Amino acid sequence: MKRVLTPLALIAAQPAFAAGGGLNLANTDLVVWLAFLLFVTFLGYMGVHKLLGGKLDERAEGIKSEIEEAQKLADEAREVLASYERKQKEVAEQAERIVAHAKEEAANAAELAKEDLKASIARRLAAAEDQIASAQAAAVKEVRDSAVSVAIDAAKDVIAKQMTATDGNKLIDAAIKDVEAKLH
């Protein structure tokens, strides 16, 4: 270190010697250069450059380890991101399957509802037709009963007007004989 500083001091002192022609302590430039060289020499003697180099090496190692750790964290983050992207894709596919299944079930339910509705309409139509047939039969029976009743009343009136008491007694006797014959 001293071998480097001595020629450096001589080179630095040349302008001071040229200005004053020798070692003149009144020359401030020379004093500042000498103080600087003395300070640098003292720092070199105390090993500050080794201490600074060691601290810089430690800092470089720390930065290097932080970079490696950051790289590892970045790799882990990429893996986690890839994992989540795969999971997201799987969930999206599962959601699509669920939606497709739900649509299929809805279509099946709609088809069953249509079939049930058709069956219900058919049952109601059949019940309505049965009611209509029953009402028609009841109406026909009522009309027949009314016609029979009107015919009986009309016949009664006609017979009552044309029949005499002797004819009525003959008819009653004939009916009694007819009933006796059927009962025995």
Side-chain angles (χ1 to χ4, degrees), residues 1-10 41:
M1 179 82 177
K2 290 180 184 180
R3 292 182 193 161
V4 173
L5 290 178
T6 305
L8 186 60
L10 291 175
T41 304

Side-chain angles (χ1 to χ4, degrees), residues 26-153:
N27 185 354
T28 57
D29 289 340
L30 178 64
V31 172
V32 169
W33 273 106
L34 287 175
F36 177 73
L37 289 176
L38 183 64
F39 178 70
V40 170
T41 304
F42 175 74
L43 291 178
Y45 177 74
M46 294 302 287
V48 171
H49 64 286
K50 292 179 184 175
L51 181 66
L52 288 177
K55 291 292 183 184
L56 288 175
D57 288 343
E58 287 177 19
R59 181 69 178 140
E61 287 296 320
I63 291 172
K64 185 178 178 182
S65 67
E66 288 177 3
I67 289 172
E68 289 173 357
E69 185 177 342
Q71 186 65 34
K72 288 178 186 177
L73 290 174
D75 291 342
E76 288 177 12
R78 284 187 203 102
E79 290 176 11
V80 169
L81 178 63
S83 171
Y84 280 120
E85 286 175 349
R86 282 192 304 273
K87 286 180 183 178
Q88 181 184 11
K89 185 178 178 182
E90 290 172 4
V91 167
E93 290 173 357
Q94 185 178 9
E96 288 176 6
R97 286 193 305 267
I98 289 171
V99 167
H101 183 67
K103 285 181 180 179
E104 184 179 321
E105 285 184 358
N108 290 341
E111 191 64 34
L112 287 175
K114 284 180 185 177
E115 291 175 10
D116 289 346
L117 183 62
K118 285 179 183 177
S120 175
I121 289 172
R123 283 193 304 272
R124 288 184 182 186
L125 283 175
E129 288 173 357
D130 288 345
Q131 286 179 350
I132 290 170
S134 175
Q136 188 177 11
V140 168
K141 183 180 178 203
E142 187 177 326
V143 169
R144 281 184 188 165
D145 289 345
S146 294
V148 168
S149 177
V150 168
I152 289 174
D153 286 342

